[in-house]
Amino acid sequence: EVDFKLEGSDGALRVYTTRPDTLFGATYMVLAPEHPLVSTITTADRLAAVESYVDVASRKSDLDRTDLAKEKTGEFTGAYAINPVNGERIPIWIADYVLSSYGTGAIMAVPAHDERDLEFAQKFELPVHVVVEAPEGESLGFTGNGTSVESGFLTGLPTPEAKARITDWLQENGKGKRTINFK
């Protein structure tokens, strides 16, 4: 689990990830529409759009929401989180492809290394930063093991070693912890 500080607040947004080695590539966050922080962090100018989206999402089943073939939808909350590894400001969105029943109901989106995140980023013109060098012939959306690139102190490490190193760093710095999540 990784904690992203909420901008302008003492609070944090906790995410569960199986790929902590890709933290340097997180370019946005996504909360499930029913996540308890949605009502707290949404700015006044985004409130009507976010409330409308939450209402529509509440009428969909989990199966409908996670259908890989469906077009990605979402709304920007107006809020930002701070990436714990590089201090970058990251916009927080809500989207129905994130479920409150899985993990913490929030994700760090690393579009270069996740197909759903990539589709969302492309639709909403969000940045994509490659942080794992893929084998020859692989493209954006690569989810396998490779070598960390553009990743600060992880650069040059193979995925298994990068995962261990970043998890140790997060724990030592009070920004996350090792955990196991069963489906």
Side-chain angles (χ1 to χ4, degrees):
E1 293 180 346
V2 181
D3 292 329
F4 286 74
K5 186 178 177 336
L6 293 169
E7 184 179 68
S9 162
D10 289 334
L13 175 55
R14 177 164 284 178
V15 301
Y16 172 79
T17 181
T18 60
R19 292 299 303 263
D21 59 301
T22 64
L23 262 166
F24 285 90
T27 60
Y28 64 98
M29 311 287 295
V30 182
L31 301 178
E34 58 277 1
H35 193 286
L37 279 179
V38 171
S39 61
T40 307
I41 66 168
T42 300
T43 59
D45 63 316
R46 301 296 307 148
L47 191 58
V50 167
E51 286 178 342
S52 176
Y53 187 85
V54 168
D55 180 56
V56 170
S58 72
R59 292 188 237 131
K60 295 180 182 178
S61 71
D62 284 359
L63 186 61
D64 288 337
R65 288 174 55 175
T66 58
D67 180 5
L68 294 176
K70 81 174 190 76
E71 182 179 341
K72 298 296 178 268
T73 62
E75 283 293 335
F76 175 50
T77 65
Y80 292 84
I82 306 302
N83 188 320
V85 296
N86 59 17
E88 287 187 7
R89 186 175 188 238
I90 302 174
I92 304 171
W93 290 69
I94 61 170
D96 63 6
Y97 77 92
V98 175
L99 302 176
S100 63
S101 59
Y102 180 74
T104 63
I107 66 164
M108 61 174 209
V110 184
H113 304 293
D114 182 281
E115 279 189 39
R116 293 179 313 160
D117 295 347
L118 180 58
E119 290 171 10
F120 191 91
Q122 288 172 330
K123 177 172 181 179
F124 292 102
E125 299 180 357
L126 297 166
V128 177
H129 299 301
V130 173
V131 292
V132 178
E133 189 173 78
E136 197 69 32
E138 296 285 342
S139 61
L140 285 180
F142 174 68
T143 60
N145 289 348
T147 302
S148 293
V149 295
E150 305 293 325
S151 295
F153 61 91
L154 301 179
T155 299
L157 297 178
T159 297
E161 191 176 332
K163 282 182 176 182
R165 175 103 34 109
I166 190 66
T167 303
D168 289 344
W169 184 90
L170 289 165
Q171 286 192 161
E172 290 165 7
N173 289 280
K175 298 177 184 231
K177 66 178 183 173
R178 273 185 178 80
T179 190
I180 297 173
N181 190 357
F182 296 98
K183 285 186 181 181

